Amino acid sequence: MNITRENLDALNAVVKVDIAKEDYSDKVEKILSDYRKTANIPGFRKGHVPLGMVKKQYGKAVLVDEVNKLLQDALNKYLTEEKLDVLGQPLPKPQDTIDWDSDAFSFEFELGLAPEFEVDLKNKKAITQYNIVADDKMIDEQIENIQKQYGKLVSQDVVEKDSEITGTFKNEEHDIENTITLTLDKFKEKSTSKKFVGAKVGDVVALETKGLYNDEHDLMHALKVGHDKVHGLDIPVTFTITEINKRELADLDQELFDKLFGKDVIKSVTELKAKIKEDAEKQFAQQADQKLLNDVTEYLVDNTKFDLPAEFLQKWLQTAGEKPLDVDQAKEEYEKSEKSLRYQLIEGKLITDNNIQVTIEDIKGHAKDMIKSQMAQFGQLNPSDKELDDIAARVLSNQDEARRISEQLISQKLLNLYKEKVNLKVKEVTYENFVKEAYSKK
C-alpha cells in the first residue's frame, strides 16, 4: 500500500491511496475459506462446496468489503501519523467506474485543512467586566416578595390597587376562556387598572388585548393561547370577577427567618438583608461571567483573522447530514455555521497554547460539588463522602452528562484565562442597570 499527499494550497490537499493485491488477498482468501465451511448450496454437503464456486458467488462482495475497510483504516492511520488537522471529513473524489476485476486500486480523497493562526488576547479597547451589586431597592423588593409569599389572604368586598383578583378571561369567537389570579401592577396602562378599582365579585370588566400587558408573555398566560397567536393579538375580551383578596404581609420575625433558612441561621432583619444580598450577588456573578465570556468570544471571532477552506466545507456539508443538501442549501448552512466553526478553532488553539486540561478527577469533583449543593437545598447538609462518590458515579455513567460537565469546566478555565490576560475594565452596576446596559437592543 502506498499513500501520497499533494498540498493544493495551505487549506486544501488531495490524498491518494494505492492498494495492491498483496494488501488484501490473504484476508479475502481466509474469509472465503470460512464461508466454504458454512455455505449452504444445493447439491453439496455443508463444508464440501468447491472453493471456486464460493469465490464465484461471494468473491466480489468480500473483495469490495475488505478493500473499503482497508482503505478507511489506512486513511485514518495516515491522518493520525501525519498529525493532519482536518476540517469535516475526507471526501472521496468521484470515480466513473472501479474495475473490481483488477488486482490494484487507487482512490483519491479531498482534505480541508485547518488554518494556522495566532490568537492575541491583548485587545486595545477594554472589554467591560460587570460587577453586579444588589442595591437597597432590590433587597427591599425581595423582602416584600417573601412577606407576600408567606403572608395570608384576606377577603375583600371591592377591588383596591393592591388586590389579588381571581376571575375568567373570555372571548367566545376566539374560543378563549381561562381563569387566573391577577394583580393590577402587571397591566401596561393605568387606565386599565382604574377599570378594576372599586369593582365587586360578579362584575364584568371589558378589555382590549392590544397593549394590555407590559409583557406579551403575561398575555399568553392570561388567555392561555399559543406563542404564535399572542403576538399582535387585537381582540376584545371580558374579565368576570369571582374572588377578591388582599395579601397580608407576613411579619419579619424569627418564625419566618427559621422557615426560610433553618433554625437560628438568621436572627434579625439586618442579617436577612445581608443574606439576600449575598445570595443575589452570587447569582449575579454567574450572569456577569457569562456576559464576559460571550463578549470575549465575540471579540476573538471578529478580530482573529484566518481563511477557511470554504469551498471544501460547503461540498462536505452536502453529504454530512441526515439529508443531502444541494449547492445553495450547503452554502446557506455554511454561512450560518461559519462563526461557530471559527470560534471552535480559536478555542482549540487557546486550549492547546495554554495547556488547558480537564482530568477525570476535575469532572468527578465538580459533579460532587453540584450534588452537594442540590442536597443542601433539601436540607441534607452533611452527606458522607461515600454517598457523594456513589451518586457522582451514577451521574458520570451518563456520557452526555460527563461531557456537559467537561465543557463547563473548560469554559470556566477559559474564563479565568480571559480575566488574567484580556484587557478588561470593571464596572459596578445594579442588576436593573446591568440588564438595560448589557442586553438592550443596540
Side-chain angles (χ1 to χ4, degrees):
M1 183 183 298
N2 186 43
I3 303 180
T4 56
R5 182 174 84 248
E6 177 188 0
N7 290 328
L8 304 179
D9 54 39
L11 299 173
N12 295 276
V14 173
V15 169
K16 184 179 180 182
V17 183
D18 294 316
I19 298 177
K21 185 174 182 179
E22 57 266 26
D23 296 322
Y24 61 81
S25 58
D26 288 348
K27 183 70 172 175
V28 170
E29 288 293 329
K30 182 179 184 309
I31 291 173
L32 291 173
S33 294
D34 291 340
Y35 273 24
R36 184 188 179 204
K37 297 174 185 177
T38 58
N40 287 313
I41 296 178
F44 297 94
R45 284 185 299 150
K46 189 173 182 179
H48 293 273
V49 180
L51 185 59
M53 185 171 288
V54 173
K55 286 183 178 180
K56 185 176 180 180
Q57 187 163 347
Y58 300 109
K60 184 69 66 66
V62 172
L63 172 66
V64 171
D65 190 44
E66 288 307 308
V67 168
N68 279 325
K69 287 181 183 177
L70 187 64
L71 178 62
Q72 289 302 319
D73 289 345
L75 185 60
N76 291 336
K77 184 178 179 183
Y78 175 80
L79 295 178
T80 301
E81 290 178 347
E82 294 293 312
K83 298 180 180 178
L84 289 177
D85 192 0
V86 299
L87 302 179
Q89 295 292 332
L91 282 177
K93 294 191 73 172
Q95 291 179 266
D96 292 335
T97 57
I98 299 175
D99 183 8
W100 292 106
D101 293 322
S102 174
D103 289 336
F105 309 97
S106 290
F107 303 90
E108 290 185 337
F109 293 85
E110 297 177 61
L111 302 182
L113 305 178
E116 293 186 4
F117 59 93
E118 297 299 324
V119 182
D120 183 8
L121 293 177
K122 291 299 180 184
N123 48 306
K124 292 182 180 178
K125 184 179 179 181
I127 294 173
T128 300
Q129 179 183 3
Y130 290 97
N131 176 28
I132 309 170
V133 296
D135 60 352
D136 291 342
K137 178 185 174 185
M138 168 172 275
I139 294 170
D140 290 341
E141 287 176 350
Q142 184 62 31
I143 289 176
E144 185 175 344
N145 289 335
I146 290 171
Q147 288 180 279
K148 286 181 179 179
Q149 181 182 350
Y150 287 89
K152 62 180 180 180
L153 286 176
V154 178
S155 180
Q156 292 181 294
D157 294 326
V158 298
V159 174
E160 298 177 2
K161 65 178 182 178
D162 56 353
S163 297
E164 293 185 12
I165 311 154
T166 301
T168 303
F169 277 108
K170 185 179 290 188
N171 178 302
E172 291 183 0
E173 181 183 351
H174 292 268
D175 197 27
I176 292 171
E177 184 172 349
N178 186 47
T179 299
I180 69 162
T181 298
L182 57 80
T183 54
L184 301 182
D185 59 312
K186 292 286 188 179
F187 291 128
K188 186 174 183 179
E189 303 294 342
K190 289 182 179 180
S191 57
T192 304
S193 300
K194 288 179 180 178
K195 291 183 178 182
F196 282 86
V197 173
K200 300 177 180 179
V201 170
D203 286 353
V204 179
V205 181
L207 302 165
E208 298 288 335
T209 59
K210 186 178 180 181
L212 185 59
Y213 284 96
N214 286 306
D215 187 341
E216 284 191 332
H217 290 90
D218 289 330
L219 180 62
M220 183 173 71
H221 170 69
L223 304 184
K224 205 173 184 180
V225 297
H227 198 278
D228 55 337
K229 186 178 178 181
V230 75
H231 292 297
L233 186 65
D234 186 6
I235 61 172
V237 291
T238 59
F239 186 86
T240 303
I241 300 172
T242 57
E243 189 177 341
I244 307 168
N245 294 298
K246 184 174 183 178
R247 181 75 61 169
E248 191 173 276
L249 300 183
D251 292 331
L252 294 174
D253 55 17
Q254 194 60 48
E255 181 182 356
L256 178 61
F257 301 155
D258 291 347
K259 282 181 182 179
L260 293 171
F261 302 105
K263 186 168 177 57
D264 293 336
V265 174
I266 299 295
K267 295 183 178 181
S268 67
V269 173
T270 301
E271 290 182 8
L272 174 64
K273 289 184 175 182
K275 178 63 175 173
I276 291 173
K277 181 177 176 66
E278 178 188 359
D279 290 347
E281 290 181 354
K282 281 182 182 178
Q283 294 182 4
F284 295 160
Q286 294 176 3
Q287 294 186 52
D289 281 349
Q290 187 60 55
K291 173 63 176 169
L292 178 60
L293 194 62
N294 293 344
D295 288 347
V296 176
T297 296
E298 187 173 345
Y299 165 80
L300 291 174
V301 171
D302 290 343
N303 292 276
T304 306
K305 305 300 181 183
F306 52 82
D307 293 325
L308 291 170
E311 186 177 340
F312 167 83
L313 289 170
Q314 290 175 42
K315 190 185 297 184
W316 171 69
L317 283 169
Q318 288 183 256
T319 57
E322 293 182 4
K323 295 182 180 179
L325 305 178
D326 61 29
V327 173
D328 290 337
Q329 289 172 326
K331 182 179 180 182
E332 182 181 353
E333 185 65 26
Y334 172 75
E335 289 172 351
K336 287 193 293 185
S337 60
E338 181 184 358
K339 192 170 184 178
S340 174
L341 173 59
R342 286 184 176 277
Y343 182 67
Q344 287 177 29
L345 292 170
I346 292 168
E347 184 183 79
K349 177 73 172 170
L350 287 169
I351 289 170
T352 300
D353 289 353
N354 294 279
N355 195 30
I356 293 175
Q357 298 179 2
V358 172
T359 67
I360 187 63
E361 289 303 316
D362 291 334
I363 295 173
K364 185 178 177 181
H366 187 74
K368 288 169 68 175
D369 287 342
M370 288 195 309
I371 293 163
K372 193 172 183 179
S373 175
Q374 290 170 358
M375 292 176 75
Q377 293 177 15
F378 294 95
Q380 296 175 266
L381 301 178
N382 295 300
S384 67
D385 287 340
K386 183 180 185 307
E387 192 174 6
L388 290 173
D389 285 337
D390 290 345
I391 298 174
R394 290 199 297 272
V395 170
L396 298 179
S397 66
N398 183 322
Q399 291 186 352
D400 290 339
E401 186 65 20
R403 182 169 57 252
R404 186 184 68 81
I405 292 174
S406 177
E407 290 171 353
Q408 285 180 345
L409 290 171
I410 288 288
S411 291
Q412 186 58 53
K413 289 178 183 250
L414 284 169
L415 181 64
N416 293 340
L417 176 71
Y418 298 157
K419 288 181 178 180
E420 178 186 345
K421 295 191 174 182
V422 171
N423 179 17
L424 304 174
K425 61 176 181 181
V426 178
K427 183 172 184 178
E428 185 173 291
V429 292
T430 64
Y431 183 73
E432 183 179 1
N433 288 336
F434 168 74
V435 172
K436 288 180 182 177
E437 185 172 325
Y439 297 109
S440 60
K441 293 181 180 179
K442 296 180 181 179

